[in-house]
Amino acid sequence: MSKKGVLIGTGIAVAGVTVGVAVSHLITKGLVKFAIERDMPKSLEKQRPKLTQGDRVKAFQECINQSGKALLEKDIEEVEIRNRDGLRLVGHWYPCENAKRVIVAMHGWRSAWYMDFGMIADFWHNEGCSILFAEQRAQNNSEGEYMTFGYMERYDCLDWIYWVNERTEQKYSVYLAGVSMGASTVLMTAGLELPENVKGVIADCGFTSAYDEWRYVVKDNMKLSYGLRGLMIDRICQKKINTNSKNITTITAMQKTQIPILFIHGTDDKFVPVRMTYENYKACNAPKELLIVPGAIHGESYYVEQEKYEAATKKFWEIYK
């Protein structure tokens, strides 16, 4: 090949690599936006059901929709606080007349309080629980530009605990409960210095870290490479939320907490793999319980094994009160 041909070939190769890097960067920016920004990119909106639930959704989703609608129709007071960042956060206070305890409930990623807790709300309430359903920052009616996968939400959860104690004059034991990202939020909250009346945490299908979760979704669900993309993701996150994905972790909190934890997860979860709950359970130095639900997909454990779920919860309340 002539020198001119070599130069042309080299130029084409370099151009190809440059275009490839540019495309990869654009995809990565879209993924970060999808993960943490309030507004979901329209180009990725159709991907969400594939990432979270797969094909086994129809009956489960219908139950979520019906129970969520029923919860919205109950006599529940909308409340709000200003968190330590100055953001207006919205919550929903569902008092129980003869309360035995209070639950602070944190919903999951790109979800809503009435969707994630519609099915279980009656059980909690009938068992003597007043409930504060929080709307997580940068979602629904709460202010904020970015979701931080529990990193800052843990402080929001703590602010809601203070609100509950002020509202109830700290008369009751408080339990934190969360699903998916909400589960990781309450697990991270457990690593903070908490009021002494916080007696336990119920974490349903939580992840171990943003890094582990994002890597799993990109590699296993989206079938994309993560090495260089992971570095780009962390660079963008550092600019937007002042931390990287490995710092957003439940493991450190589990190693230091003394708050009892009930871990729950379904074996067939294709969004947050069940191994992450096993890792959280192993890392936890506090008193702990574990409920693994065979066949349940993401967030489906209560739907699949309602009796076992309720029995495990009531036992947890009885032991750790």
Side-chain angles (χ1 to χ4, degrees), residues 76-80 88 90-93 113 135 141 167:
I76 297 176
E77 178 188 359
E78 183 172 298
V79 298
E80 64 179 66
R88 173 182 170 271
V90 175
H92 304 268
W93 177 240
W113 64 278
E135 294 196 25
N141 297 305
R167 180 68 177 254

Side-chain angles (χ1 to χ4, degrees), residues 208 265 267 273-283 290 292:
T208 48
H265 215 123
T267 61
V274 67
R275 65 170 172 78
M276 293 192 186
T277 278
Y278 284 124
E279 290 169 21
N280 280 326
Y281 181 83
K282 183 179 179 180
L290 179 65
I292 299 298

Side-chain angles (χ1 to χ4, degrees), residues 25-314:
H25 186 66
L26 286 173
I27 291 172
T28 302
K29 285 181 68 175
L31 290 174
V32 174
K33 186 177 178 70
F34 185 47
I36 68 172
E37 294 191 18
R38 174 184 286 276
D39 297 324
M40 185 187 299
K42 291 183 179 180
S43 60
L44 289 170
E45 198 165 345
K46 293 181 180 179
Q47 296 296 322
R48 184 176 176 234
K50 298 176 184 178
L51 297 178
T52 56
Q53 305 286 359
D55 297 326
R56 272 186 46 193
V57 296
K58 190 173 181 180
F60 179 41
Q61 191 62 52
E62 285 178 358
C63 188
I64 288 173
N65 293 340
Q66 290 171 8
S67 60
K69 182 179 178 181
L71 184 56
L72 283 172
E73 292 172 352
K74 295 184 184 297
D75 186 16
I76 297 176
E77 178 188 359
E78 183 172 298
V79 298
E80 64 179 66
I81 60 172
R82 285 282 171 185
N83 72 356
R84 62 196 62 209
D85 299 331
L87 297 176
R88 173 182 170 271
L89 302 180
V90 175
H92 304 268
W93 177 240
Y94 188 23
C96 181
E97 187 175 352
N98 299 302
K100 301 175 184 176
R101 64 190 71 85
V102 178
I103 293 175
V104 176
M106 308 297 284
H107 68 76
W109 175 75
R110 297 201 182 278
S111 189
W113 64 278
Y114 55 91
M115 300 294 281
D116 282 356
F117 302 112
M119 275 187 278
I120 203 169
D122 283 344
F123 163 66
W124 283 348
H125 202 251
N126 293 339
E127 288 295 323
C129 301
S130 291
I131 311 158
L132 186 283
F133 299 104
E135 294 196 25
Q136 298 238 47
R137 65 166 61 201
Q139 299 194 63
N140 305 303
N141 297 305
S142 286
E143 291 181 346
E145 286 186 75
Y146 303 114
M147 295 168 273
T148 69
F149 278 65
Y151 185 69
M152 294 304 296
E153 287 86 350
R154 57 184 164 165
Y155 298 109
D156 299 339
C157 186
L158 180 57
D159 287 339
W160 280 118
I161 295 169
Y162 292 145
W163 181 92
V164 163
N165 280 343
E166 183 177 349
R167 180 68 177 254
T168 63
E169 300 178 340
Q170 204 162 335
K171 290 180 180 178
Y172 306 105
S173 295
V174 172
Y175 296 83
L176 312 180
V179 175
S180 191
M181 191 189 88
S184 295
T185 295
V186 296
L187 290 175
M188 291 183 212
T189 306
L192 303 176
E193 186 173 341
L194 301 176
E196 62 181 12
N197 66 323
V198 178
K199 301 298 184 181
V201 172
I202 301 172
D204 187 335
C205 60
F207 55 78
T208 48
S209 72
Y211 174 84
D212 291 341
E213 175 60 12
W214 296 347
R215 185 174 184 271
Y216 175 82
V217 168
V218 170
K219 287 190 66 179
D220 290 67
N221 289 358
M222 304 186 77
K223 309 302 181 185
L224 298 172
S225 62
Y226 196 74
L228 181 59
R229 183 168 283 111
L231 295 175
M232 287 191 283
I233 286 172
D234 274 342
R235 193 176 300 119
I236 298 169
C237 285
Q238 194 70 50
K239 291 181 180 179
K240 292 181 181 292
I241 60 175
N242 298 315
T243 193
N244 64 58
S245 61
K246 290 182 180 179
N247 287 338
I248 306 173
T249 177
T250 58
I251 298 298
T252 303
M254 292 298 91
Q255 291 169 341
K256 64 191 291 190
T257 188
Q258 297 302 308
I259 306 296
I261 313 286
L262 170 57
F263 296 94
I264 300 170
H265 215 123
T267 61
D268 288 9
D269 194 332
K270 302 302 182 186
F271 186 54
V272 179
V274 67
R275 65 170 172 78
M276 293 192 186
T277 278
Y278 284 124
E279 290 169 21
N280 280 326
Y281 181 83
K282 183 179 179 180
C284 182
N285 285 320
K288 54 193 175 183
E289 309 292 335
L290 179 65
L291 174 64
I292 299 298
V293 179
I297 60 175
H298 191 62
E300 197 191 29
S301 292
Y302 186 75
Y303 178 76
V304 171
E305 287 285 8
Q306 181 175 334
E307 290 185 8
K308 288 184 179 180
Y309 199 116
E310 291 180 357
T313 302
K314 288 191 284 188

